[in-house]
Structures are given as C-alpha cells and as structure tokens.
Amino acid sequence: MDGRPWPWRKASASDAAGNQCVEVRWTGYYVLVRDSTRPHGPRLSFHSDAWTRFLETARRPDTAS
C-alpha cells in the first residue's frame, strides 16, 4: 500500500438492481462504510482493528445467518 486510500468497493451481497448496497473504503487507519445509493450521505467510520474483528466474527459459522 502506498499510503493512498483505496477506492470505494461495493459489498458482494449487494443486489444487481443497485438496491441495498453498502460500500467500504480503507483509508489506512479507518474503514469507511456508506450507502452507495447516497454517496454524499452520512458515513460510518471504524478503526481498522475493529473492522477486522467485525469481519472475523461475521465469517464465523456460528454467527452467520
């Protein structure tokens, strides 16, 4: 990584019609999350360590639904 933020990435679970889309962007220390249908709307910000723990928990078979 050369220090520049990564581009916004759409979640793989987003539907093809463009509804219910979530996008994430890594900035180096934080991960930003936004509604792709409102790109200039509010965003959530997570420290990269917290985001990693969230993903690890979400991927565990006992927590997936």
Side-chain angles (χ1 to χ4, degrees):
M1 181 80 190
D2 61 9
R4 292 180 293 172
W6 290 3
W8 287 98
R9 295 184 50 139
K10 188 177 289 190
S12 60
S14 296
D15 68 16
N19 301 316
Q20 301 177 14
C21 299
V22 174
E23 294 179 324
V24 297
R25 181 179 190 187
W26 185 73
T27 66
Y29 294 105
Y30 294 95
V31 175
L32 303 177
V33 181
R34 72 179 182 185
D35 177 349
S36 64
T37 63
R38 298 180 59 207
H40 300 294
R43 299 173 181 170
L44 298 174
S45 176
F46 300 92
H47 190 274
S48 58
D49 291 340
W51 184 254
T52 298
R53 286 191 304 275
F54 165 74
L55 292 178
E56 289 169 350
T57 301
R59 290 177 178 146
R60 285 199 323 237
D62 59 323
T63 59
S65 52

